[in-house]
Every structure is written in structure tokens, then in C-alpha cells.
Amino acid sequence: MDGIKEPQSSYLSIKNLWKSFGSFIALEDVSLDIQEGEFVCFLGPSGCGKTTLLRAIAGLDLQTRGRLVQAGKDISNLPASERDYGIVFQSYALFPNLTIEKNIAFGLENTGRTKNEIEQRVAELLQLIGLPDQGPKYPAQLSGGQQQRIALARAIASGPGLLLLDEPLSALDAKVRVYLRHEIKTLQQKLGVTTIMVTHDQEEALSMADRIVVINEGKVEQIGTPNEVYCKPETLFVADFIGEMTQFRGIITGKSSIKIGNTELNTAAHQFDEGREVSLTIRPEDIIPLGAKPPTKNGLSNSRNNVFSTKLVEMEFLGSFWRCKLKSDEFSQALVTADFSVNAVRRLSLEPNQNLWIELPSESILAFDNQAA
Ligand code: ATP
């Protein structure tokens, strides 16, 4: 099939891909379509198979079964050197004995370009990544963040159809990481290059990706926009892995109600049958603090409120918000995590060990199959 043109609906098609290492199955029937110009993140915990998937796309480690189609061409069995991509690794992987200019020029040699054209392209790329004067230096003379920008310039030097980023930011310190997130995303949009980034950092994926592919134990759990995977997780694993949440066990009592112990909660509509045991989740930022006194009706957000009296047992200041732990008889004294804004804490004069009434908006309480965890 190699070299035969196929009808093209997406730029990269991953079709029923499997990868085994001996008897261990690292990827199980992964299928995915990536559109031209899209920025897609493979996100999942350590060992879930995201790097294995990227390496199969790159031809660095061939799949056991399944097919890969890039720009209408079956590349499933093509060697890495014949595939059309640029790649950036976590470790930068620059040649220490070559200058920055020579590092970037490396992939441009033997491509039919003249010396002059290569010099011009290198200068253009250095300008593009905001390091126009660093060409004559050696990698060791640059910071980690600068070296990673050089690795990026090298990866895009020949104008590949696909840019692969394997945890490109994880070796950098927090501030540089946040800055480079923005830089890479801006550059990707400017170039319009289809990009796949592997990361285990949910914040990185949420802030950079057009779509996130959440992977767990070699299988795709959910594919969606950052907003979809965060606000509408399809499984308990996705709800738990992306963002913070408190989890309860409950029994379904109606189409949008669940019982935790003796407490009945109004929830988002779900598809479970009455009597079914499920897991319930609520995000910390969805909990509304009402104050020390029982609220009046007009202080509440909607008609289907879940209003409870709790004790504020812990408060941790995290700069832009307070992470709080709440306890209540209504939840059998289980700890509930709530994030309150600095303004809300000030306005309600919240302090540890005080009584606090809270509201759990029904729409933010999600129910999941227990087996899905
Ligand atoms: P991390 O974020 O830690 O890199 P990952 O999601 O990228 O994790 P992979 O590197 O894709 O995970 O590995 C997936 C699974 O396959 C792991 O359990 C790993 O131990 C196993 N694995 C990867 N490469 C090999 C190999 N060459 N031989 C045997 N097992 C392997």
C-alpha cells in the first residue's frame, strides 16, 4: 500500500493501531483523525502509551497492527527517514559540537538548497524564534528554554507537514515552561503546521491544544476540545485525571437525582437506571460559598439547589485562590475540596473552623459508571 494515494478526509489518520512489547499490550486499537493545521495533544499518565503512539507515527517504533495515513499516503511501513515530519524531544538533542546555526542547518543539507539559501533560511528561523543573534554560539552557551527553541527551529527548518513534540517542556522550569507554551502555540498558528504534542501535564494540554486525546492504559478514553474534556468528561478516569475533583459513591434515585448516604442531591441529567451504584464528581471551583448563616432563597443560584451546612476545616492560600477542605454530616464527614476566590474569602470573612453554608449547583454534579474508573 505504501505510496498509493488514498481519498483524503483528514491530514493524518490513525487506523486501528496496536502495539505490543512481547505479551504486553502498549496500544490497543487506537483510531484517530487529525485535521490539517490542528494542534493535538496526547495526554495521559506515565506509561499510558502516548510516547509509543508518537513513535509509531514517526516510524521510530513500528506498530504491531493497524495503519497510518498521512496526506493521503499510507505511511504504515515507511522508514522514519522517508516520513514527512520534524520532531522535538524533551532533551533538546542538539549537537553539542556544532554551533546553533549548524544545528538548525543540519536538516537542510542534502536537500538541494544552495549554501546561500541555507544561510538565509537559518537566519529567518532564528528571527522567527526570537533569537536572531545566537547563531554563532554553541548549545551549552544557551539556557534550556533557548536550546528548546533552537530544537524547534531545527524541527521546522525544512517545512515538514507534521510537527511532533515529545514532552518538549518538561525539562524546563515552571516560568519558562509557561512562556514557551505560548511561544510554541503562536508559532504553530503562524506556520499552520499540523502538530502533535505528547504531555502528561493537563494544564499544558488544556492551554495549547485544539483537541486533546486522553489515553489510559493504551486505550483512547476521550477525544475532545479542552473545554469538552474538562467540562464534559465521558469517564471517571478523564474527570479524575484532568483537573481536581471530589468523588463520592452514590445510588441513583431518579433521572437527575442521586443519594449519598441519606442525602439526596439534584444532579445533571444522566442515563443511569434507578438503584444503580455510581460515582459522583464535583469540581472544587463549582462549589459556591454562601456564608456562615443559612441562605435566603434569593441568595441562591437556581431552583434546583443543593444547599448544605459544612465545617470549613482547612484553608490553603494558593495565590489567586484558596483551596479549602469542607466536612459535613450530609457527606458522612468525607472531605470535600472547594476552591474559593480571594474576593469571596474576603467578602464572606471566611476562616478555618467556621461553619459555612455551601451550594452545589446540580449541573456541576456528574455521575459515572463505577467500572469506568
Ligand atoms: P511516560 O510519560 O512515562 O513517558 P508514556 O505514556 O509515554 O509514559 P510509553 O513510553 O508509551 O508511555 O510506554 C507505554 C508502556 O509500554 C509502558 O508500560 C512502557 O513500560 C512500555 N514500553 C515502552 N517501550 C517499551 C519497550 N521498548 N519494551 C518494552 N516495553 C515498553
Side-chain angles (χ1 to χ4, degrees), residues 17-29 52 56 61-65:
L17 213 78
W18 293 71
K19 174 73 184 176
S20 307
F21 295 106
S23 61
F24 176 76
I25 298 174
L27 292 176
E28 193 177 328
D29 202 18
T52 304
D61 230 341
L62 287 192
Q63 65 283 353
T64 313
R65 254 195 287 160

Side-chain angles (χ1 to χ4, degrees), residues 189-236:
Q189 282 173 332
K190 197 160 157 185
L191 299 173
V193 59
T194 311
T195 300
I196 302 175
M197 184 172 88
V198 161
T199 180
H200 61 268
D201 184 326
Q202 22 157 314
E203 225 181 81
E204 213 166 275
L206 289 171
S207 66
M208 294 174 79
D210 295 319
R211 275 193 309 156
I212 297 176
V213 180
V214 186
I215 303 175
N216 180 29
E217 295 184 345
K219 285 182 270 203
V220 172
E221 287 269 335
Q222 187 170 349
I223 302 170
T225 63
N227 198 48
E228 280 163 353
V229 295
Y230 189 84
C231 298
K232 293 188 184 130
E234 285 169 6
T235 66
L236 186 56

Side-chain angles (χ1 to χ4, degrees), residues 68-125:
L68 290 158
V69 177
Q70 182 179 354
K73 180 176 165 190
D74 192 313
I75 58 160
S76 312
N77 296 309
L78 276 189
S81 58
E82 289 176 32
R83 297 192 187 191
D84 178 19
Y85 68 87
I87 190 162
V88 175
F89 298 100
Q90 179 182 337
S91 56
Y92 326 140
L94 298 176
F95 303 113
N97 54 333
L98 297 185
T99 61
I100 296 306
E101 282 158 338
K102 293 241 164 74
N103 262 283
I104 298 176
F106 190 79
L108 296 172
E109 268 139 35
N110 308 319
T111 56
R113 289 175 171 86
T114 63
K115 193 165 170 276
N116 227 347
E117 282 168 342
I118 293 179
E119 276 174 13
Q120 211 174 333
R121 178 73 179 141
V122 170
E124 201 179 286
L125 286 158

Side-chain angles (χ1 to χ4, degrees), residues 4 51 53 77 135 181-183 232 235 272 289 302 329 347:
I4 295 175
T51 305
L53 183 54
N77 296 309
R181 261 186 216 165
H182 180 71
E183 287 276 292
K232 293 188 184 130
T235 66
F272 297 107
N302 65 39
D329 284 342
R347 178 169 46 83

